[in-house]
Amino acid sequence: DMKVTQMPRYLIKRMGENVLLECGQDMSHETMYWYRQDPGLGLQLIYISYDVDSNSEGDIPKGYRVSRKKREHFSLILDSAKTNQTSVYFCASSLRGTGHEQYFGPGTRLTVL
Amino acid sequence: QQKVQQSPESLSVPEGGMASLNCTSSDRNFQYFWWYRQHSGEGPKALMSIFSDGDKKEGRFTAHLNKASLHVSLHIRDSQPSDSALYFCAASEHGTGYQNFYFGKGTSLTVIP
């Protein structure tokens, strides 16, 4: 079953706390992505990972870092979360190369108070 | 600058009507185009891909691509309330070996029963 999972689905944190968002996929996809979605702004790419320990900044990497130690698992870390990082975060994966669709997870709704 | 632009931002059509969504890109390197659909509370899911000029039909959905004008459209005939969702146009480049997706900001479609 082709699936991207995300944990947790909902998270409330206080400003200054650390946040860990986790993503898994069972399709052996080489490429994985983290996006955030805010009303009216669409999907903004935070980081892209081309494989284990091969990560690249997206359009809005500031305030975020990632970790990919296994092909099937990709983490997004917020060190000292800020209120403007309140958003819905989506993980996605795809096969390497062009012409392949992305598969998205169900999202994590993060609220930073 | 947004590389993929969508119009309209929102659209309401009566049940059974035709919905037409538009997308233009500003990068002639884009060769692969997708339409993604996102229902409320879920992650985006690929609806259709189109890589060649002309029309591609899948059931009630028809995508049209004109690479010369970098224009993609999606037409939904016999619209159903279940079609109410946020629709994203996405594009990716040819020949880079790795796949970055560029998303538009989305069109919110409401089908009125």
Side-chain angles (χ1 to χ4, degrees):
Chain A
D1 189 24
M2 300 194 295
K3 193 184 250 188
V4 177
T5 57
Q6 292 186 239
M7 291 292 290
R9 293 293 315 277
Y10 302 90
L11 187 61
I12 299 174
K13 288 285 193 178
R14 295 195 178 279
M15 192 168 59
E17 292 184 328
N18 298 332
V19 177
L20 173 64
L21 304 184
E22 305 204 74
C23 174
Q25 50 99 359
D26 61 1
M27 298 168 278
S28 297
H29 286 170
E30 298 90 349
T31 312
M32 296 186 75
Y33 313 76
W34 276 107
Y35 294 90
R36 64 177 282 176
Q37 183 177 29
D38 301 289
L41 296 182
L43 293 161
Q44 299 179 83
L45 180 65
I46 305 171
Y47 266 94
I48 183 170
S49 173
Y50 298 112
D51 212 325
V52 172
D53 284 331
S54 179
N55 306 318
S56 182
E57 293 181 347
D59 298 321
I60 52 162
K62 187 177 180 181
Y64 303 94
R65 62 183 174 93
V66 293
S67 175
R68 192 164 180 206
K69 298 301 182 184
K70 293 182 179 180
R71 178 171 281 185
E72 64 270 19
H73 191 252
F74 191 32
S75 300
L76 180 70
I77 302 122
L78 289 67
D79 295 314
S80 187
K82 300 172 180 52
T83 56
N84 62 7
Q85 292 178 309
T86 292
S87 187
V88 181
Y89 291 86
F90 287 100
C91 174
S93 71
S94 72
L95 286 168
R96 178 182 295 162
T98 50
H100 301 293
E101 73 175 83
Q102 278 186 320
Y103 293 82
F104 282 83
T108 294
R109 182 174 293 276
L110 172 66
T111 302
V112 182
L113 301 174
Chain B
Q1 181 187 0
Q2 192 87 13
K3 288 194 172 187
V4 176
Q5 312 220 345
Q6 289 185 243
S7 64
E9 288 185 12
S10 63
L11 177 64
S12 294
V13 299
E15 183 175 355
M18 172 77 84
S20 295
L21 290 66
N22 296 293
C23 173
T24 56
S25 63
S26 59
D27 191 331
R28 294 207 168 270
N29 291 321
F30 290 157
Q31 294 289 315
Y32 305 101
F33 296 88
W34 285 264
W35 285 99
Y36 281 78
R37 181 167 70 179
Q38 183 183 27
H39 286 111
S40 182
E42 299 179 3
K45 185 174 181 181
L47 186 63
M48 288 184 70
S49 63
I50 186 165
F51 302 159
S52 302
D53 278 336
D55 292 336
K56 182 177 181 181
K57 185 177 178 182
E58 293 184 1
R60 297 184 293 108
F61 299 87
T62 300
H64 176 80
L65 172 60
N66 183 327
K67 285 189 178 180
S69 61
L70 297 177
H71 181 257
V72 187
S73 59
L74 178 69
H75 305 278
I76 307 172
R77 66 171 177 82
D78 189 24
S79 296
Q80 301 297 307
S82 58
D83 295 328
S84 296
L86 187 59
Y87 289 77
F88 289 106
C89 173
S92 71
E93 297 160 324
H94 171 70
T96 62
Y98 298 103
Q99 184 159 245
N100 288 354
F101 287 79
Y102 298 86
F103 284 85
K105 292 186 178 182
T107 292
S108 178
L109 172 65
T110 302
V111 180
I112 303 166

